[in-house]
Amino acid sequence: KAVVSTQSGHYGRGTMESEYKKDLHKISKGLHGKRGLLFTNEKVEEVKEYFKSHKKLCFARSGSVATETVVLPEGPLDLPHSMEPHLRQLGLPTKLKDGVIVLNQEHTVCTAGQALSTQEAVILKHLGNSMAEFNIELMSHWSDGAFTVLSESGTAMDAADDDFGDEVIEDANEN
């Protein structure tokens, strides 16, 4: 981040006067957390459409909100017998019977709308239940000295609504 931010005129010694191109310093203000940069010659609308159509289901992590209630019925589980001690450690009421993992009673793994615990997330993963979606959200766009902040839907929005500050923003969606 330090190299990108310095070259964009925002971090440490970087100033708006030292930025490589006009308004590049605005990009570095959004570089925190799990954010990155994409460099392309493609048009903004093409990039938005690409990322809109490229989403992938993945396993939910601890703290994610459950999208559905998952209840396991009493009876055998279709998992390798070697997993039984691990499932018991995760809180499932299991036993091993003739080499088959058996759930002693019905068990609610998670409830829709509630945050997942670490144990619940691990159980869902073992069951192959993909409850989360990986996607990339476009936050902003810079081209030829024009900077645009994009909302979740990919439309221009007011800078006061986000962490880019109260700077004037030009519309660059024509590129």
Coordinates of all heavy atoms in Angstrom, one line a residue, residues 21-102:
K21 N -0.4 11.3 -11.8 CA -1.5 11.8 -12.6 C -2.5 12.5 -11.7 O -2.7 12.2 -10.6 CB -2.2 10.7 -13.4 CG -1.3 10.1 -14.5 CD -1.3 10.8 -15.7 CE -0.6 10.0 -16.8 NZ -0.8 10.6 -18.1
K22 N -3.3 13.4 -12.3 CA -4.3 14.2 -11.6 C -5.3 13.3 -10.9 O -5.8 12.3 -11.5 CB -5.0 15.1 -12.6 CG -6.1 16.0 -11.9 CD -6.8 16.8 -13.0 CE -7.9 17.7 -12.4 NZ -9.0 17.0 -12.0
D23 N -5.6 13.6 -9.6 CA -6.6 12.9 -8.8 C -6.3 11.5 -8.5 O -7.1 10.8 -7.9 CB -8.0 13.0 -9.4 CG -8.6 14.4 -9.2 OD1 -8.0 15.2 -8.4 OD2 -9.6 14.7 -9.9
L24 N -5.0 11.0 -8.7 CA -4.7 9.6 -8.3 C -4.7 9.5 -6.8 O -4.9 8.4 -6.2 CB -3.3 9.2 -8.8 CG -3.3 8.6 -10.2 CD1 -1.9 8.3 -10.7 CD2 -4.2 7.3 -10.2
H25 N -4.5 10.6 -6.1 CA -4.4 10.6 -4.6 C -5.8 10.1 -4.0 O -5.8 9.5 -2.9 CB -4.0 11.9 -4.0 CG -5.1 13.0 -4.2 ND1 -5.3 13.6 -5.3 CD2 -6.0 13.4 -3.3 CE1 -6.3 14.5 -5.2 NE2 -6.8 14.4 -4.0
K26 N -6.9 10.3 -4.8 CA -8.2 9.9 -4.3 C -8.3 8.3 -4.2 O -9.1 7.8 -3.4 CB -9.3 10.5 -5.2 CG -9.3 12.0 -5.1 CD -10.4 12.5 -6.0 CE -10.4 14.0 -6.0 NZ -11.4 14.6 -6.9
I27 N -7.6 7.6 -5.1 CA -7.7 6.2 -5.0 C -7.1 5.6 -3.7 O -7.7 4.7 -3.1 CB -6.9 5.6 -6.2 CG1 -7.6 5.9 -7.5 CG2 -6.7 4.1 -6.1 CD1 -6.8 5.5 -8.8
S28 N -6.0 6.2 -3.3 CA -5.3 5.6 -2.1 C -6.2 5.7 -0.8 O -6.0 5.0 0.1 CB -4.0 6.3 -1.8 OG -4.1 7.6 -1.6
K29 N -7.1 6.7 -0.8 CA -8.0 6.8 0.4 C -8.9 5.6 0.6 O -9.3 5.3 1.7 CB -8.9 8.1 0.3 CG -8.0 9.4 0.4 CD -9.0 10.6 0.4 CE -8.1 11.8 0.6 NZ -9.0 13.0 0.6
G30 N -9.2 4.9 -0.5 CA -10.0 3.7 -0.4 C -9.3 2.4 -0.2 O -9.9 1.4 -0.2
L31 N -7.9 2.5 -0.2 CA -7.1 1.3 -0.1 C -6.9 0.9 1.4 O -6.0 1.3 2.1 CB -5.8 1.5 -0.7 CG -5.7 1.6 -2.2 CD1 -4.3 1.8 -2.7 CD2 -6.3 0.3 -2.8
H32 N -7.9 0.1 1.9 CA -7.8 -0.4 3.3 C -8.6 -1.7 3.3 O -9.5 -1.9 2.5 CB -8.2 0.6 4.3 CG -9.6 1.2 4.1 ND1 -10.7 0.5 4.5 CD2 -10.0 2.3 3.5 CE1 -11.8 1.3 4.2 NE2 -11.4 2.3 3.5
G33 N -8.4 -2.5 4.3 CA -9.1 -3.7 4.5 C -8.8 -4.7 3.3 O -7.7 -4.8 2.9
K34 N -9.9 -5.3 2.8 CA -9.7 -6.3 1.8 C -10.0 -5.7 0.4 O -10.8 -6.1 -0.3 CB -10.7 -7.5 2.0 CG -10.3 -8.2 3.3 CD -11.3 -9.3 3.5 CE -11.0 -10.1 4.8 NZ -11.9 -11.1 5.0
R35 N -9.3 -4.6 0.1 CA -9.5 -3.9 -1.2 C -8.2 -4.0 -2.0 O -7.2 -4.1 -1.5 CB -9.9 -2.5 -0.9 CG -11.2 -2.3 -0.3 CD -11.6 -0.9 -0.1 NE -12.9 -0.8 0.5 CZ -13.5 0.3 0.8 NH1 -12.9 1.5 0.6 NH2 -14.7 0.4 1.4
G36 N -8.4 -4.0 -3.3 CA -7.2 -4.0 -4.2 C -7.4 -3.2 -5.4 O -8.4 -2.4 -5.5
L37 N -6.5 -3.2 -6.3 CA -6.5 -2.4 -7.5 C -6.6 -3.3 -8.7 O -6.1 -4.4 -8.8 CB -5.3 -1.6 -7.7 CG -5.1 -0.5 -6.6 CD1 -3.7 0.1 -6.8 CD2 -6.1 0.6 -6.7
L38 N -7.4 -2.9 -9.7 CA -7.5 -3.6 -11.0 C -7.1 -2.6 -12.1 O -7.6 -1.5 -12.2 CB -8.9 -4.1 -11.3 CG -9.2 -4.6 -12.7 CD1 -8.5 -5.9 -12.9 CD2 -10.7 -4.7 -12.9
F39 N -6.1 -3.0 -12.9 CA -5.7 -2.1 -14.0 C -6.2 -2.8 -15.3 O -5.9 -4.0 -15.6 CB -4.1 -2.0 -14.0 CG -3.6 -1.4 -12.8 CD1 -3.2 -2.1 -11.7 CD2 -3.5 0.0 -12.7 CE1 -2.7 -1.5 -10.6 CE2 -3.0 0.6 -11.6 CZ -2.6 -0.2 -10.5
T40 N -6.8 -2.0 -16.1 CA -7.4 -2.6 -17.4 C -7.6 -1.5 -18.4 O -7.7 -0.3 -18.0 CB -8.7 -3.3 -17.1 OG1 -9.2 -3.9 -18.4 CG2 -9.8 -2.4 -16.6
N41 N -7.6 -1.9 -19.7 CA -8.0 -0.9 -20.7 C -9.4 -1.1 -21.2 O -9.9 -0.4 -22.1 CB -7.1 -1.2 -22.0 CG -5.6 -0.8 -21.7 OD1 -5.4 0.1 -20.9 ND2 -4.7 -1.6 -22.3
E42 N -10.1 -2.0 -20.5 CA -11.5 -2.2 -20.8 C -12.4 -1.0 -20.4 O -12.0 -0.3 -19.5 CB -12.1 -3.5 -20.1 CG -11.3 -4.7 -20.6 CD -11.5 -5.1 -22.0 OE1 -12.6 -4.8 -22.6 OE2 -10.5 -5.6 -22.6
K43 N -13.6 -0.9 -21.0 CA -14.5 0.1 -20.6 C -15.2 -0.2 -19.3 O -15.3 -1.4 -19.0 CB -15.6 0.3 -21.7 CG -15.0 0.8 -23.0 CD -16.1 0.9 -24.1 CE -15.6 1.3 -25.4 NZ -15.0 2.6 -25.5
V44 N -15.5 0.8 -18.5 CA -16.1 0.7 -17.2 C -17.3 -0.2 -17.2 O -17.4 -1.2 -16.4 CB -16.5 2.0 -16.6 CG1 -17.1 1.9 -15.2 CG2 -15.2 2.9 -16.4
E45 N -18.2 0.0 -18.1 CA -19.4 -0.9 -18.2 C -19.1 -2.3 -18.4 O -19.8 -3.2 -17.9 CB -20.4 -0.3 -19.3 CG -21.0 1.0 -19.0 CD -21.7 1.0 -17.6 OE1 -22.4 0.1 -17.3 OE2 -21.5 2.0 -16.9
E46 N -18.1 -2.6 -19.3 CA -17.7 -4.0 -19.5 C -17.1 -4.7 -18.2 O -17.4 -5.8 -18.0 CB -16.7 -4.1 -20.6 CG -17.2 -3.7 -22.0 CD -16.2 -3.7 -23.1 OE1 -15.1 -4.3 -22.9 OE2 -16.4 -3.0 -24.1
V47 N -16.3 -3.9 -17.5 CA -15.8 -4.4 -16.2 C -16.9 -4.7 -15.2 O -16.9 -5.7 -14.6 CB -14.7 -3.5 -15.7 CG1 -14.2 -4.0 -14.3 CG2 -13.5 -3.3 -16.6
K48 N -17.8 -3.8 -15.1 CA -19.0 -4.0 -14.2 C -19.7 -5.2 -14.5 O -20.1 -6.0 -13.7 CB -19.9 -2.8 -14.3 CG -19.4 -1.5 -13.6 CD -20.5 -0.5 -13.6 CE -20.0 0.9 -13.8 NZ -21.1 1.9 -13.9
E49 N -20.0 -5.4 -15.8 CA -20.8 -6.6 -16.3 C -20.0 -7.9 -16.0 O -20.6 -8.9 -15.6 CB -21.2 -6.5 -17.7 CG -22.3 -5.5 -18.0 CD -23.6 -5.9 -17.2 OE1 -24.0 -7.1 -17.2 OE2 -24.1 -5.0 -16.6
Y50 N -18.7 -7.8 -16.2 CA -17.9 -9.0 -16.0 C -18.0 -9.4 -14.5 O -18.3 -10.6 -14.2 CB -16.4 -8.7 -16.3 CG -15.5 -9.9 -16.0 CD1 -15.4 -10.9 -16.9 CD2 -14.8 -9.9 -14.8 CE1 -14.5 -12.0 -16.6 CE2 -14.0 -11.0 -14.5 CZ -13.9 -12.0 -15.4 OH -13.0 -13.1 -15.1
F51 N -17.8 -8.5 -13.6 CA -17.8 -8.9 -12.2 C -19.2 -9.2 -11.7 O -19.4 -9.9 -10.7 CB -17.2 -7.8 -11.3 CG -15.7 -7.9 -11.4 CD1 -15.0 -6.8 -12.0 CD2 -15.0 -9.0 -11.1 CE1 -13.6 -6.8 -12.1 CE2 -13.6 -9.0 -11.2 CZ -12.9 -8.0 -11.7
K52 N -20.2 -8.6 -12.3 CA -21.6 -8.9 -12.0 C -21.9 -10.4 -12.3 O -22.7 -11.0 -11.6 CB -22.6 -8.0 -12.7 CG -23.6 -7.3 -11.9 CD -24.6 -6.6 -12.7 CE -24.3 -5.1 -12.7 NZ -25.3 -4.3 -13.4
S53 N -21.4 -10.9 -13.4 CA -21.7 -12.3 -13.8 C -20.7 -13.3 -13.3 O -20.9 -14.5 -13.5 CB -21.7 -12.3 -15.3 OG -20.4 -12.0 -15.8
H54 N -19.7 -12.9 -12.6 CA -18.7 -13.8 -12.0 C -18.8 -13.9 -10.5 O -18.0 -13.2 -9.8 CB -17.3 -13.5 -12.5 CG -17.0 -13.8 -13.9 ND1 -17.5 -13.1 -14.9 CD2 -16.4 -14.9 -14.5 CE1 -17.2 -13.6 -16.1 NE2 -16.5 -14.7 -15.8
K55 N -19.7 -14.6 -10.0 CA -19.9 -14.9 -8.6 C -19.7 -16.3 -8.3 O -20.1 -17.1 -9.2 CB -21.2 -14.3 -8.1 CG -21.4 -12.8 -8.3 CD -22.7 -12.4 -7.9 CE -22.8 -10.9 -8.1 NZ -24.1 -10.3 -7.6
K56 N -19.3 -16.7 -7.1 CA -19.0 -18.1 -6.8 C -19.5 -18.4 -5.4 O -19.2 -17.6 -4.5 CB -17.5 -18.4 -7.0 CG -17.2 -19.8 -6.8 CD -15.7 -20.1 -7.0 CE -15.3 -21.4 -6.6 NZ -15.5 -22.4 -7.6
L57 N -20.2 -19.5 -5.3 CA -20.6 -19.9 -3.9 C -19.4 -20.5 -3.2 O -18.5 -21.1 -3.8 CB -21.7 -21.0 -4.0 CG -23.1 -20.6 -4.4 CD1 -24.0 -21.8 -4.6 CD2 -23.6 -19.6 -3.4
C58 N -19.3 -20.2 -1.9 CA -18.2 -20.6 -1.1 C -18.7 -20.9 0.3 O -19.9 -20.6 0.6 CB -17.1 -19.6 -1.1 SG -17.5 -18.0 -0.5
F59 N -17.9 -21.5 1.1 CA -18.3 -21.9 2.5 C -18.3 -20.6 3.4 O -17.4 -19.8 3.3 CB -17.4 -22.9 3.1 CG -17.4 -24.2 2.3 CD1 -16.3 -24.7 1.6 CD2 -18.6 -25.0 2.3 CE1 -16.4 -25.8 0.9 CE2 -18.7 -26.2 1.6 CZ -17.5 -26.6 0.9
A60 N -19.3 -20.5 4.2 CA -19.5 -19.4 5.1 C -18.4 -19.5 6.2 O -18.0 -20.6 6.6 CB -20.9 -19.3 5.7
R61 N -18.0 -18.4 6.7 CA -17.0 -18.4 7.8 C -17.7 -17.9 9.1 O -18.9 -17.4 9.1 CB -15.9 -17.4 7.5 CG -15.1 -17.7 6.3 CD -14.1 -16.7 6.0 NE -13.3 -17.1 4.9 CZ -12.2 -16.6 4.5 NH1 -11.7 -15.6 5.2 NH2 -11.6 -17.0 3.4
S62 N -17.0 -18.1 10.2 CA -17.5 -17.7 11.5 C -17.9 -16.2 11.4 O -17.2 -15.4 10.9 CB -16.4 -17.9 12.5 OG -16.8 -17.4 13.8
G63 N -19.1 -15.9 12.0 CA -19.5 -14.5 12.0 C -20.4 -14.2 10.8 O -21.1 -13.2 10.8
S64 N -20.4 -15.0 9.7 CA -21.3 -14.8 8.6 C -22.7 -15.1 9.1 O -23.0 -15.8 10.0 CB -21.0 -15.7 7.5 OG -19.7 -15.5 7.0
V65 N -23.7 -14.4 8.4 CA -25.1 -14.6 8.8 C -25.6 -15.8 8.0 O -25.5 -15.9 6.7 CB -25.9 -13.4 8.5 CG1 -27.4 -13.6 8.8 CG2 -25.4 -12.2 9.3
A66 N -26.3 -16.8 8.7 CA -26.8 -18.0 8.0 C -27.9 -17.5 7.1 O -28.8 -16.8 7.5 CB -27.3 -18.9 9.1
T67 N -27.9 -18.1 5.9 CA -29.0 -17.7 4.9 C -30.2 -18.7 5.0 O -31.2 -18.5 4.4 CB -28.4 -17.8 3.5 OG1 -27.9 -19.1 3.2 CG2 -27.3 -16.7 3.3
E68 N -30.0 -19.8 5.7 CA -31.0 -20.8 5.8 C -30.8 -21.5 7.1 O -29.8 -21.6 7.7 CB -31.0 -21.8 4.7 CG -29.7 -22.6 4.6 CD -29.7 -23.5 3.4 OE1 -30.4 -24.6 3.4 OE2 -28.9 -23.3 2.5
T69 N -31.9 -22.1 7.6 CA -31.9 -23.0 8.8 C -31.5 -24.4 8.3 O -32.1 -24.9 7.4 CB -33.2 -23.0 9.5 OG1 -33.5 -21.7 9.9 CG2 -33.2 -23.9 10.7
V70 N -30.5 -25.0 9.0 CA -30.0 -26.3 8.6 C -30.3 -27.2 9.8 O -29.7 -27.0 10.9 CB -28.5 -26.3 8.2 CG1 -28.0 -27.8 8.0 CG2 -28.3 -25.5 7.0
V71 N -31.1 -28.2 9.6 CA -31.5 -29.2 10.6 C -31.1 -30.6 10.1 O -31.5 -31.0 9.0 CB -33.0 -29.2 10.9 CG1 -33.3 -30.2 12.0 CG2 -33.4 -27.8 11.4
L72 N -30.3 -31.3 10.9 CA -29.9 -32.7 10.6 C -30.8 -33.6 11.2 O -31.0 -33.6 12.5 CB -28.4 -32.9 11.0 CG -27.4 -32.0 10.4 CD1 -26.0 -32.4 11.0 CD2 -27.3 -32.2 8.9
P73 N -31.4 -34.6 10.5 CA -32.3 -35.5 11.1 C -31.5 -36.6 11.8 O -30.4 -36.9 11.6 CB -33.0 -36.1 9.9 CG -32.1 -36.0 8.8 CD -31.3 -34.7 9.0
E74 N -32.2 -37.2 12.8 CA -31.6 -38.3 13.5 C -31.3 -39.4 12.5 O -32.1 -39.7 11.6 CB -32.6 -38.8 14.6 CG -32.1 -40.0 15.4 CD -33.1 -40.4 16.4 OE1 -34.1 -39.7 16.7 OE2 -32.9 -41.5 17.0
G75 N -30.2 -40.1 12.7 CA -29.8 -41.2 11.8 C -28.4 -41.1 11.3 O -27.6 -40.3 11.7
P76 N -28.1 -42.0 10.3 CA -26.7 -42.0 9.7 C -26.4 -40.8 9.0 O -27.2 -40.1 8.3 CB -26.8 -43.2 8.8 CG -28.2 -43.5 8.5 CD -29.0 -42.9 9.6
L77 N -25.1 -40.4 9.0 CA -24.5 -39.3 8.3 C -23.6 -39.8 7.2 O -22.8 -40.8 7.5 CB -23.7 -38.3 9.2 CG -24.5 -37.5 10.2 CD1 -23.6 -36.7 11.1 CD2 -25.5 -36.6 9.6
D78 N -23.6 -39.3 6.0 CA -22.8 -39.8 4.9 C -21.4 -39.1 5.0 O -21.1 -38.2 4.1 CB -23.5 -39.5 3.6 CG -22.8 -40.1 2.4 OD1 -22.1 -41.1 2.7 OD2 -23.0 -39.7 1.3
L79 N -20.7 -39.4 6.0 CA -19.3 -38.9 6.2 C -18.4 -40.0 6.6 O -18.9 -41.0 7.2 CB -19.3 -37.8 7.3 CG -20.1 -36.5 7.0 CD1 -20.3 -35.7 8.3 CD2 -19.5 -35.7 5.9
P80 N -17.1 -39.9 6.3 CA -16.2 -41.0 6.7 C -16.2 -41.2 8.2 O -16.3 -40.3 9.0 CB -14.8 -40.4 6.3 CG -15.1 -39.3 5.4 CD -16.4 -38.8 5.7
H81 N -16.1 -42.5 8.6 CA -16.1 -42.9 10.0 C -15.0 -42.2 10.9 O -15.2 -41.9 12.1 CB -16.1 -44.4 10.2 CG -14.7 -45.0 9.8 ND1 -13.7 -45.0 10.7 CD2 -14.3 -45.5 8.6 CE1 -12.6 -45.6 10.0 NE2 -13.0 -45.9 8.8
S82 N -13.9 -41.8 10.2 CA -12.8 -41.2 11.0 C -13.1 -39.8 11.5 O -12.4 -39.3 12.3 CB -11.6 -41.2 10.1 OG -11.8 -40.5 8.9
M83 N -14.2 -39.2 10.9 CA -14.6 -37.9 11.3 C -15.4 -37.8 12.6 O -15.7 -36.8 13.2 CB -15.4 -37.2 10.2 CG -14.5 -36.8 9.0 SD -15.4 -35.9 7.8 CE -15.8 -34.4 8.7
E84 N -15.9 -39.0 13.1 CA -16.8 -39.0 14.2 C -16.3 -38.3 15.4 O -17.0 -37.4 16.0 CB -17.2 -40.5 14.5 CG -18.4 -40.6 15.4 CD -18.1 -40.4 16.9 OE1 -17.0 -40.8 17.3 OE2 -19.0 -40.0 17.7
P85 N -15.1 -38.5 15.9 CA -14.6 -37.8 17.1 C -14.6 -36.3 16.9 O -14.9 -35.5 17.8 CB -13.2 -38.3 17.3 CG -13.1 -39.6 16.6 CD -14.1 -39.5 15.5
H86 N -14.2 -35.9 15.7 CA -14.2 -34.4 15.3 C -15.6 -33.8 15.4 O -15.8 -32.7 15.9 CB -13.5 -34.2 14.0 CG -13.4 -32.8 13.5 ND1 -12.8 -31.8 14.2 CD2 -14.0 -32.2 12.4 CE1 -12.9 -30.7 13.6 NE2 -13.6 -30.8 12.5
L87 N -16.5 -34.5 14.8 CA -17.9 -34.0 14.8 C -18.5 -33.9 16.3 O -19.2 -33.0 16.6 CB -18.8 -35.0 14.0 CG -18.5 -35.0 12.5 CD1 -19.4 -36.1 11.8 CD2 -18.7 -33.6 11.9
R88 N -18.1 -34.9 17.1 CA -18.5 -34.8 18.5 C -17.9 -33.6 19.2 O -18.6 -32.9 20.0 CB -18.1 -36.1 19.2 CG -19.1 -36.6 20.2 CD -18.8 -37.9 20.9 NE -18.1 -38.9 20.1 CZ -16.9 -39.3 20.4 NH1 -16.2 -38.9 21.4 NH2 -16.3 -40.2 19.6
Q89 N -16.6 -33.3 18.9 CA -16.0 -32.1 19.4 C -16.7 -30.8 19.0 O -16.7 -29.8 19.7 CB -14.5 -32.0 19.0 CG -13.6 -33.0 19.7 CD -12.2 -32.9 19.2 OE1 -11.9 -32.5 18.1 NE2 -11.2 -33.3 20.1
L90 N -17.2 -30.9 17.8 CA -17.9 -29.7 17.3 C -19.3 -29.5 17.9 O -20.0 -28.6 17.5 CB -18.0 -29.8 15.7 CG -16.7 -29.6 15.0 CD1 -16.9 -30.0 13.5 CD2 -16.1 -28.2 15.2
G91 N -19.8 -30.5 18.7 CA -21.0 -30.4 19.3 C -22.2 -31.2 18.8 O -23.3 -31.2 19.2
L92 N -21.9 -32.1 17.8 CA -22.9 -32.9 17.2 C -23.1 -34.2 18.1 O -22.1 -34.8 18.5 CB -22.6 -33.4 15.8 CG -22.7 -32.3 14.7 CD1 -22.2 -32.9 13.4 CD2 -24.1 -31.8 14.6
P93 N -24.3 -34.6 18.4 CA -24.5 -35.8 19.2 C -24.4 -37.0 18.4 O -25.4 -37.6 17.9 CB -26.0 -35.6 19.7 CG -26.6 -34.7 18.7 CD -25.5 -33.9 18.1
T94 N -23.1 -37.5 18.2 CA -22.9 -38.6 17.3 C -22.3 -39.8 18.0 O -21.8 -39.7 19.1 CB -21.9 -38.2 16.2 OG1 -20.7 -37.8 16.8 CG2 -22.4 -37.1 15.3
K95 N -22.4 -40.9 17.4 CA -21.7 -42.2 17.8 C -21.4 -43.0 16.6 O -21.9 -42.7 15.5 CB -22.6 -43.0 18.8 CG -23.9 -43.5 18.2 CD -24.7 -44.3 19.2 CE -26.0 -44.7 18.6 NZ -26.9 -45.3 19.5
L96 N -20.5 -43.9 16.7 CA -20.1 -44.7 15.7 C -20.7 -46.1 15.8 O -20.6 -46.7 16.9 CB -18.5 -44.9 15.7 CG -17.8 -45.3 14.4 CD1 -18.2 -44.3 13.3 CD2 -16.4 -45.3 14.6
K97 N -21.5 -46.5 14.8 CA -22.2 -47.8 14.9 C -21.9 -48.6 13.6 O -22.3 -48.2 12.5 CB -23.7 -47.5 15.0 CG -24.5 -48.8 15.3 CD -26.0 -48.4 15.6 CE -26.7 -49.7 15.9 NZ -28.1 -49.4 16.2
D98 N -21.2 -49.7 13.8 CA -20.8 -50.6 12.7 C -20.1 -49.8 11.6 O -20.4 -50.0 10.4 CB -22.1 -51.3 12.1 CG -22.8 -52.2 13.0 OD1 -22.1 -52.8 13.9 OD2 -24.0 -52.2 13.0
G99 N -19.2 -48.9 12.0 CA -18.4 -48.1 11.0 C -19.1 -47.0 10.4 O -18.6 -46.3 9.4
V100 N -20.3 -46.6 10.8 CA -21.1 -45.5 10.3 C -21.4 -44.5 11.4 O -21.8 -44.9 12.5 CB -22.5 -46.1 9.7 CG1 -23.3 -44.9 9.2 CG2 -22.2 -47.1 8.6
I101 N -21.2 -43.2 11.0 CA -21.5 -42.2 11.9 C -23.0 -42.0 12.0 O -23.7 -41.9 11.0 CB -20.9 -40.8 11.5 CG1 -19.4 -40.9 11.4 CG2 -21.3 -39.7 12.5 CD1 -18.7 -39.7 10.8
V102 N -23.5 -42.0 13.3 CA -25.0 -41.9 13.5 C -25.3 -40.7 14.4 O -24.6 -40.6 15.4 CB -25.5 -43.2 14.1 CG1 -27.0 -43.1 14.4 CG2 -25.3 -44.4 13.2

